[in-house]
Amino acid sequence: MRIQIFPVMATLSRLQELCDRQFNDFIPPSVAIFRPALPMVFCGILHYPDMGGRLTWQTGSLSQNELYFLVPLERYRKVDGREEFVELGATTPYIFVDNPESVAAARERFGMPKELAEFTTDFRDLPWDVGTQRYLRIGGWEPSTNGHRLGPLLDVVYSTSTPCTPGTRDDDLPRPTTRFGLLEWSKFAENVKLLAERTFGAETIDGILRRIQTYFSLVQTTQAISLFSLRQFADPEDVRRARYSDLIAFRMQVADLQSLGLLGNGPFLSHFQLRLRRTELRPIAKVLGLRVSQRTSESAGGTSESYEAIDALVPFYAQADTDLTTAERLCWHHDQGRGGSWHDDAGKLLSPPVAGRFNTHFGPSGASFLQPQADVPVLDLRYLMLAARRKSVERLLAKMLPAETPLKIAVAGRNREVTGLRLLFTRSRLGPWRHRGELVWNDGTYLSIAIPVVANTGTGTFNANFMIQEFCNNPFTVQSMRAMLGEPTNHARFVPGDAGWFASTRALTTELALSTMAVDRTSSGASVVWSSLLDVLSVDSEDLGGLCLGPDAVRDLREEIWPLVSQILPSISVGHIPSPSSPNRSLLDRVMVTSFLEDPLERRATRPDASGRQRVVRFYENVTYPLASRTGLLALDESSPLGSKIARLPSMGGTFAIPVIAAGEAVTRVRIDRFEIISETVPQRRARSA
């Protein structure tokens, strides 16, 4: 990876407050008490050209850019009433990446508070003074009065008389005016001493220098660091409570250091400056106690932004290979509404018990994004029903539903050979101006793939939709669906076709295309890239020739399954909290039912044979989302007239052309009514022997 580190000074009291509000107020002191190790925070900007696990051929590797703010820590624990030093480490309270799969994986497996961002090195239209260049701009997603938007987050600017051009590598920048060579920790300490005299007073210099020397001596000797995070999932019925919490520790090791050097044109005055956008959503400088040298306001594109300028001290770069050597759960807490206690990873009770509160220090939980709002958004809905083999669907449900749950489900319909799957597309309409800021969490386009089922909880039977997979282009919705409901929701891109949303007069056209992150295997390896998932095609009216489905079966699906598909029913979702040490091991399995209230404003139900158009969903089969084969969807024979017409369309890889058995449209408001957790299972581990 390529890494650039910009050290900045911070206030120890603010960093201690961060440790308390992020860790110490929540976890048992017998496991960890965290203190800031240095009066410094390290802003790191990384480029991972290739990142993956041990089974890269199966999971694929991915590339990403990353921004983090790293806080060095000292970990203690209370033993017999006194604090005992355990180790040095760090935490990253703010971290941003431009790969959506990395966001979901890091949040759920390691509890890292990653957010989606965008990185750019476009040097044009700079709002800064002449002689100052923007070295890098990073934008983050945030709510605004007209919906969620990508706004400025951090600019790294570079002041020098020697300009750098777009694409300049850090080791090609103008070198320091005094020869300093590779980074020397002793020289680094001397420079920090100068700043310490100005900032903290002479009485604290020795203590600060001892901390710095101890910390960097350990990092330099071991070339490794332990990172800590508090992973939490809020209770969907009460966002003030943490339904599940654990303390995660994972160790990063430098496997190979290829290069190391200084950035800028001076060992002390680096000429690099971080300009953080000041917002209530992410008060980074305030929370971390960063030393702000200047506060400015800049206007661009009709908007005014406030920035906090922070001088970087002795910034340096490195080229290195790193490994995640270990990842473990130090302690965990499961609150089912009866309080609960903390346990170690083997299940042993820890004392004293600590309340299972949700930590709101870094913003709201994913659960709060879907809480009731002042107004309900108006949604455009499109229902599509596809035919699938009943046995394939039953096998899939049996694999997805945990054996311990009391919930019993059966595939809807009496036909023993086939059943229907529902594809639900929704798109939010912009509401009145006064409500747009309140509806930000519901903005965007959404797709869910579900199986209509009959569910029984032991107290009654009801119709529902069992969620197989969901996709959304709103990062807040993706986060909330995964964190609160445990639903399999992923980030996606929706591209309207030539004729827009489901309206066409052409002989064969793409009405909607959807792509998401998926594993792409080649002869030399596998990588996670943006990949097509499905297209909705519209063709001239034709019969379903080439489909292994008789007219009686089509009639049965339209009479029995279509009424369940073309309305908003309760949804059943199965969620898992993965182990940090193994993504294949689950620490908690949850089965949940979410019910809704619908206010239909306009509804039109159509069928392919009555609309004058035939719609076909073309699935792109891949190892990440084998949706067509896994669910047994009934595809057109490529030798049929319609099948051959679709087969001639350009595509990469295998595709399945699935005719739409019935389609419907509606304009409505949908509000979440209630949540019900049917079952939660925490698998127990055998206690480790001494």
Side-chain angles (χ1 to χ4, degrees), residues 131 384 477:
L384 301 183
T477 301

Side-chain angles (χ1 to χ4, degrees), residues 612-625:
R613 304 290 293 174
Q614 172 68 52
R615 291 192 177 96
V616 176
V617 179
R618 180 171 62 160
F619 283 90
Y620 295 80
E621 194 77 349
N622 57 62
V623 295
T624 308
Y625 298 105

Side-chain angles (χ1 to χ4, degrees), residues 538-555:
S538 176
V539 299
D540 288 331
S541 180
E542 300 185 30
D543 61 26
L544 298 181
L547 178 66
C548 301
L549 192 65
D552 293 341
V554 172
R555 184 184 62 252

